Amino acid sequence: MDEALLRSLTPSVLAILVRRGADFAAAEDAVQDALVKAVRGWPAEPPRDPKGWLVTVAWHRFLDATRADAARRRREDLVEEEPVPGPASAVDDTLQLYFLCAHPSLTPSSAVALTLRAVGGLTTRQIAQAYLVPEATMAQRISRAKRTVSGVRFDQSGDVATVLRVLYLVFNEGYSGDVDLAAEAIRLTRQLAAAIDHPEVAGLLALMLLHHARRAARTASDGSLVPLVEQDRGRWDTESIAEGVEILQAALARDRLGEFQAQAAIAALHADAPTAEETDWVQIVEWYDELARLTGSPVVRLNRAVAVGEADGPRAGLAALAALDDSLPRHAAVAAYLHERDGDLETAARLYAEAAQKAPNLAERDHLTRQAARLNARRSR
């Protein structure tokens, strides 16, 4: 069973059902039923036209559910609209579906969560981690969003800012998490950049390209994480870096700075440094100041503390860190790094071990555990 094929077809099938009159919640349920049937039946008898098969089965499932609900006045009309089996349109509806999910009846945070779950393929746990909230809280938020849009006609699309937020979170999960969605996020952002002349769309595309360019160097042959300072820069994708920088420069020239452009500027400074030692940390701190002003994000201030530690010394970084809530994700890891830079190996080892217990994924946990073991070994000599 090709799970990647099923995942790639799901957004288009869902969009087709919505366009033919199904409300979003019912269409999603129908598509999920069709996917279950595909998993059970395709290994023995794969269809010649997988997308057409999914559309037909999902539409039948939707109609069955509609017929069971006597309160739906349009039941007979929907039956007449049933598409005949056969090849389905090859048009990619994913980006359109992102806009539809960002419906004006939803708050931006709920629209993002719903789209990530229904279209992006992320789990509730992954979305909760992205939002820094408990999984139960995110599950309730997604359920409320589904109830809100249930029965709503999608004749109004959401705004660009919400769609950008969704694409950014999908890319981040694909870049660092369990589901590889980074390339898909880049593809959709390219489509959006081609359709909309917007500096923040360009900023997001530049940011994605600059981060993705370093992907090959982020892990060792055994799958372990390689910190930025230790990465083999010869493995970075120079073409993607050049493209990202060019897109960013054009966006910044329009003098309409946004958070994605600021993040891309930081990524570009890292990419531009021939070695880790030649990184322009002073300018990176200045960009983090801009980013903090634009977003007010505590995570931005956490990353800024690292940059301050590099630009002005570890004690300056620790002073910046002291102003932040120590419950922030990766706070302990940042504190460990700065304490190690300051020569306090005992505290650093303890904090690395503490950070490992809170790590969001196995690769990061293993990396932090190794850091703690390395420092403990140095101390015992």
Side-chain angles (χ1 to χ4, degrees), residues 284-303:
I284 287 176
V285 171
E286 293 174 355
W287 275 111
Y288 270 123
D289 288 338
E290 288 287 349
L291 189 56
R293 179 183 61 79
L294 289 166
T295 67
S297 167
V299 175
V300 169
R301 292 196 292 271
L302 183 69
N303 292 330

Side-chain angles (χ1 to χ4, degrees), residues 219-269:
T219 54
S221 57
D222 61 359
S224 60
L225 290 180
V226 179
L228 178 60
V229 67
E230 300 174 14
Q231 288 178 15
D232 178 1
R233 299 186 178 220
R235 299 184 65 194
W236 289 1
D237 183 347
T238 55
E239 290 186 6
S240 291
I241 291 174
E243 182 186 4
V245 169
E246 182 180 0
I247 292 171
L248 172 63
Q249 289 175 339
L252 291 175
R254 301 176 65 175
D255 199 23
R256 290 170 54 192
L257 183 64
E259 62 175 292
F260 293 122
Q261 295 170 68
Q263 289 188 62
I266 294 169
L269 287 167

Side-chain angles (χ1 to χ4, degrees), residues 309 313-315 318 334-349 351-352 374-376 378-379:
R315 294 193 180 182
L318 287 168
V334 170
Y337 174 75
L338 291 172
H339 276 290
E340 180 184 358
R341 288 278 318 281
D342 196 38
D344 186 352
L345 303 189
E346 181 179 359
T347 300
L351 288 169
Y352 275 130
R374 174 179 58 82
L375 293 187
N376 284 326
R378 284 179 58 186
R379 291 175 55 233

Side-chain angles (χ1 to χ4, degrees), residues 55-371:
V55 170
T56 300
V57 172
W59 187 258
H60 278 293
R61 294 290 189 186
F62 167 70
L63 291 180
D64 288 344
T66 301
R67 294 188 185 101
D69 186 354
R72 295 189 179 277
R73 298 181 180 181
R74 295 189 65 247
R75 179 179 57 187
E76 297 302 325
D77 291 336
L78 289 172
V79 171
E80 293 177 2
E81 293 172 8
E82 178 182 345
V84 297
S89 170
V91 175
D92 184 354
D93 299 297
T94 308
L95 190 57
Q96 179 191 9
L97 198 58
Y98 271 61
F99 274 94
L100 292 176
C101 287
H103 196 270
S105 63
L106 296 173
T107 63
S109 60
S110 294
V112 171
L114 177 62
T115 313
L116 289 171
R117 184 71 185 91
V119 188
L122 274 64
T123 66
T124 303
R125 176 184 60 82
Q126 291 166 330
I127 302 170
Q129 289 175 348
Y131 269 90
L132 310 180
V133 299
E135 183 174 349
T137 300
M138 183 53 65
Q140 292 175 355
R141 185 179 299 177
I142 293 172
S143 294
R144 286 196 299 269
K146 287 183 178 180
R147 288 196 299 269
T148 299
V149 300
S150 180
V152 172
R153 298 293 299 187
F154 286 85
D155 53 357
Q156 288 182 284
S157 295
D159 65 355
V160 174
T162 301
V163 174
L164 290 178
R165 178 63 52 192
V166 176
L167 289 168
Y168 176 58
L169 291 175
V170 170
F171 175 83
N172 278 344
E173 192 59 46
Y175 189 70
S176 61
D178 303 323
V179 182
D180 188 0
L181 296 169
E184 174 68 358
I186 291 174
R187 184 183 70 83
L188 292 173
T189 306
R190 283 190 186 280
Q191 287 188 5
L192 189 58
I196 300 176
D197 183 20
H198 192 295
E200 273 294 82
V201 176
L204 178 58
L205 179 57
L207 175 63
M208 289 179 175
L209 290 170
L210 289 164
H211 276 309
H212 206 61
R214 301 199 302 259
R215 187 169 190 177
R218 291 184 71 246
T219 54
S221 57
D222 61 359
S224 60
L225 290 180
V226 179
L228 178 60
V229 67
E230 300 174 14
Q231 288 178 15
D232 178 1
R233 299 186 178 220
R235 299 184 65 194
W236 289 1
D237 183 347
T238 55
E239 290 186 6
S240 291
I241 291 174
E243 182 186 4
V245 169
E246 182 180 0
I247 292 171
L248 172 63
Q249 289 175 339
L252 291 175
R254 301 176 65 175
D255 199 23
R256 290 170 54 192
L257 183 64
E259 62 175 292
F260 293 122
Q261 295 170 68
Q263 289 188 62
I266 294 169
L269 287 167
H270 283 297
D272 189 52
T275 65
E277 293 74 21
E278 296 174 84
T279 303
D280 189 346
W281 286 106
V282 172
Q283 194 172 168
I284 287 176
V285 171
E286 293 174 355
W287 275 111
Y288 270 123
D289 288 338
E290 288 287 349
L291 189 56
R293 179 183 61 79
L294 289 166
T295 67
S297 167
V299 175
V300 169
R301 292 196 292 271
L302 183 69
N303 292 330
R304 178 185 178 277
V306 176
V308 170
E310 298 290 351
D312 301 326
R315 294 193 180 182
L318 287 168
L321 188 65
L324 302 177
D325 187 343
D326 62 8
S327 66
L328 279 172
R330 297 186 173 90
H331 185 284
V334 170
Y337 174 75
L338 291 172
H339 276 290
E340 180 184 358
R341 288 278 318 281
D342 196 38
D344 186 352
L345 303 189
E346 181 179 359
T347 300
R350 175 178 57 80
L351 288 169
Y352 275 130
E354 178 185 324
Q357 295 177 351
K358 301 176 182 178
N361 56 66
L362 182 61
E364 189 169 336
R365 186 192 70 187
D366 289 347
H367 170 71
L368 292 168
T369 301
R370 283 193 294 271
Q371 295 292 84

